[in-house]
Amino acid sequence: MTTIQLKWISSTEKAPWTDREVPEAKVPGTEGAAQANLTVTDDSYQTLEGFGGCFNELGYAALGQLPDDERARVMYNLFHPEGEQRFSICRLPIGASDYALDWYSLNETDGDYAMEHFSIERDRQLLIPYIKEALALNPELQLFASPWSPPTWMKFPKAYNYGTLRWEPEILAAYALYFVKFVEAYRAEGITIHQVHVQNEVVADQKFPSCVWTGEQLKIFIRDYLGPAFEQHGLDTEIWLGTINAPEPWDEWLKKKSSDHDAFAGVVLGDPDAYKYVKGVGYQWAGKHAIQRTVQSYPELRYMQTENECGDGENTWFYAKYIFGLYQHYFVNGVNAYIYWNMALAPKGRSTWGWEQNSMLTIDPASRQAIHNPEYYVMKHFSRYAVSGSVRVGLKGPWSGHAVAFRTPEGRLTVVIVNPYTEARMLHLHSGSSLYSFELEAESFHTIVIG
């Protein structure tokens, strides 16, 4: 008889990541199985590619406040395959994000259509060392990149934090070459860029580096410029339609346009000559409203939640419960990967344009310690045991709206669940021929591993 191993870890605001005494399994029979309020079904869905965060200059500057041994411990726990988070896919900006020390692009030489002055020298100061530290811990780490803004001379008006790409053939060709040069320059540094996403937040609030695109523009750029440029230069870097942050449904924008899926994914992927270049779709923020219909329409593609919603710098347990709901929403609607935004920031997490945002870790310069914020534990409840290559499996019952389950390549079942309520509630989990009962504390997160 094979003994089934069971592991149960819970997190509350006062007691995060606590090993719990596992309940005794029962063989329920037909009548007992009816007691189950969460049942693992035989259905299987998408394959998990992993979890990660974004490399940003302000994050690396914050980590620089730590003593060497503490920083090494933080990096190990984020990136090493046997660390706490075990990140396997991460993001980086092409040029400045809004969490750069200041705004820049990789070529500010006006009219340099041949990209003769393209340079990643700025990235060698902070971004590349940050990435190389992570790669030293996990050489298999996958990387994807997106620009927040093109070079300013390619835009109208000429500014990092406003406007659109100049829609002129020589500009479009030069911008495609800009992507090529980026991939090639990082490859020369020993860093493989596995994917590029055309634009961070195509419908951006333009207080920070940004560039507004329509679906029609994305279609033309991918079909006629970026895809052919990658082919011409022999790049195997994937092109993704991302990162799409379509507006909230009640936004004034949608009174003039079609719905979020129809305005972006439907336009680009509906064109066969653009579609052939696109390997996946990245959604973030209000793109959560489009993920379901896009996966339904194009199930053969891969999907990613590309930027976790960032809060207000207070890093509360209340907001962490909301964030758990985003993980659950994106996974049950088909994403293969979930990417956090800033992994580490200074206290309050203020951006260069003044918005205070949450982070997994707060680096306290006074104590020179890394503080684990609530969302660090939300991520850990998923990433620690739901390893890359796992397959999402079906759930049914009253708790299914608060849970996600994966079957690992080794056959173990990993169930991640939240009790968002202000009182303890019972979970009766039916898996295979066994029934397990857990008392889920109020406002708590849980990972249950069976097998």
Side-chain angles (χ1 to χ4, degrees):
M1 178 178 178
T2 302
T3 301
I4 296 177
Q5 301 295 317
L6 179 65
K7 190 173 186 65
W8 174 24
I9 301 151
S10 73
S11 290
T12 63
E13 186 171 11
K14 294 183 178 179
W17 202 255
T18 301
D19 281 305
R20 302 290 299 275
E21 183 178 349
V22 298
E24 183 178 345
K26 301 176 182 177
V27 180
T30 304
E31 183 176 334
Q35 301 173 4
N37 49 25
L38 185 64
T39 298
V40 181
T41 74
D42 293 330
D43 300 312
S44 59
Y45 301 96
Q46 74 272 28
T47 299
L48 178 64
E49 295 185 18
F51 300 89
C54 187
F55 295 103
N56 278 325
E57 288 187 341
L58 286 177
Y60 196 61
L63 288 168
Q65 300 293 313
L66 296 175
D68 289 346
D69 59 344
E70 173 71 357
R71 189 172 85 173
R73 185 186 66 82
V74 166
M75 293 292 287
Y76 180 94
N77 281 332
L78 288 174
F79 298 106
H80 195 277
E82 295 185 3
E84 293 185 346
Q85 299 290 358
R86 308 183 176 195
F87 281 173
S88 57
I89 180 166
C90 285
R91 184 185 187 189
L92 67 149
I94 302 175
S97 75
D98 48 323
Y99 274 79
L101 294 176
D102 50 61
W103 298 345
Y104 69 97
S105 80
L106 304 179
N107 187 354
E108 281 300 309
T109 302
D110 282 16
D112 184 14
Y113 299 109
M115 290 292 132
E116 293 177 353
H117 297 277
F118 181 94
S119 173
I120 60 168
E121 188 58 38
R122 165 63 179 264
D123 291 2
R124 293 190 179 100
Q125 298 173 28
L126 294 173
L127 275 182
I128 287 175
Y130 195 179
I131 294 164
K132 285 187 173 180
E133 280 192 38
L135 286 170
L137 293 163
N138 180 6
E140 301 302 315
L141 183 68
Q142 302 277 301
L143 296 169
F144 72 100
S146 61
W148 268 241
S149 173
T152 58
W153 59 272
M154 293 184 173
K155 296 175 67 181
F156 180 81
K158 187 178 179 180
Y160 287 113
N161 64 326
Y162 196 70
T164 61
L165 193 66
R166 288 166 50 193
W167 209 250
E168 304 155 24
E170 60 270 26
I171 290 290
L172 297 172
Y175 196 38
L177 183 58
Y178 182 84
F179 280 86
V180 170
K181 293 289 188 181
F182 171 79
V183 172
E184 292 178 338
Y186 266 75
R187 183 173 60 198
E189 289 286 331
I191 298 172
T192 299
I193 304 298
H194 298 87
Q195 306 168 10
V196 295
H197 295 227
V198 176
Q199 171 64 45
N200 173 71
E201 298 191 354
V202 294
V203 190
D205 180 349
Q206 296 200 294
K207 298 182 179 71
F208 50 85
S210 54
C211 185
V212 172
W213 292 69
T214 67
E216 186 71 16
Q217 289 173 324
L218 288 167
K219 178 187 75 177
I220 293 169
F221 182 66
I222 292 169
R223 182 190 68 194
D224 298 345
Y225 296 94
L226 188 61
F230 275 32
E231 283 185 339
Q232 179 186 348
H233 290 84
L235 300 184
D236 58 3
T237 300
E238 295 178 346
I239 296 171
W240 278 49
L241 177 60
T243 62
I244 308 300
N245 66 318
E248 301 289 347
W250 54 85
D251 195 280
E252 287 293 321
W253 186 87
L254 287 176
K255 294 178 182 178
K256 302 174 184 177
K257 306 284 184 180
S258 56
S259 71
D260 45 15
H261 165 79
D262 296 334
F264 293 101
V267 170
V268 176
L269 301 176
D271 184 295
D273 293 324
Y275 172 91
K276 69 181 182 181
Y277 291 116
V278 177
K279 301 303 181 185
V281 181
Y283 277 121
Q284 60 195 51
W285 287 81
K288 64 193 174 192
H289 301 297
I291 182 68
Q292 182 183 37
R293 288 203 296 142
T294 308
V295 173
Q296 181 181 6
S297 301
Y298 301 96
E300 71 281 5
L301 295 179
R302 288 148 53 221
Y303 294 88
M304 189 186 310
Q305 191 290 127
T306 43
E307 182 182 303
N308 186 72
E309 295 182 27
C310 62
D312 57 4
E314 295 296 324
N315 292 296
T316 63
W317 198 259
F318 175 83
Y319 196 78
K321 291 192 298 177
Y322 169 71
I323 292 299
F324 187 103
L326 292 179
Y327 281 75
Q328 199 269 350
H329 170 81
Y330 276 103
F331 277 118
V332 299
N333 283 295
V335 299
N336 304 91
Y338 192 102
I339 310 302
Y340 199 82
W341 178 213
N342 280 295
M343 296 176 280
L345 289 175
K348 295 294 185 181
R350 186 173 290 109
S351 70
T352 48
W353 57 282
W355 190 4
E356 295 178 347
Q357 300 183 13
N358 291 356
S359 56
M360 291 173 57
L361 296 159
T362 294
I363 310 303
D364 183 358
S367 65
R368 302 186 71 197
Q369 291 184 331
I371 299 167
H372 292 69
N373 293 322
E375 289 165 48
Y376 184 92
Y377 295 105
V378 174
M379 174 63 82
K380 189 176 176 182
H381 273 284
F382 283 90
S383 66
R384 176 63 180 79
Y385 292 104
V387 299
S388 300
S390 299
V391 174
R392 185 173 70 86
V393 296
L395 296 171
K396 66 178 182 180
W399 276 107
S400 60
H402 297 300
V404 185
F406 302 92
R407 185 77 64 183
T408 70
E410 298 79 21
R412 287 188 289 272
L413 176 70
T414 299
V415 179
V416 190
I417 188 167
V418 61
N419 175 11
Y421 304 109
T422 55
E423 71 279 349
R425 295 197 179 186
M426 291 301 300
L427 168 67
H428 302 292
L429 174 63
H430 185 206
S431 174
S433 60
S434 297
L435 182 70
Y436 307 88
S437 295
F438 307 83
E439 183 176 344
L440 307 185
E441 295 177 80
E443 300 181 311
S444 57
F445 309 117
H446 302 264
T447 298
I448 299 163
V449 182
I450 303 173

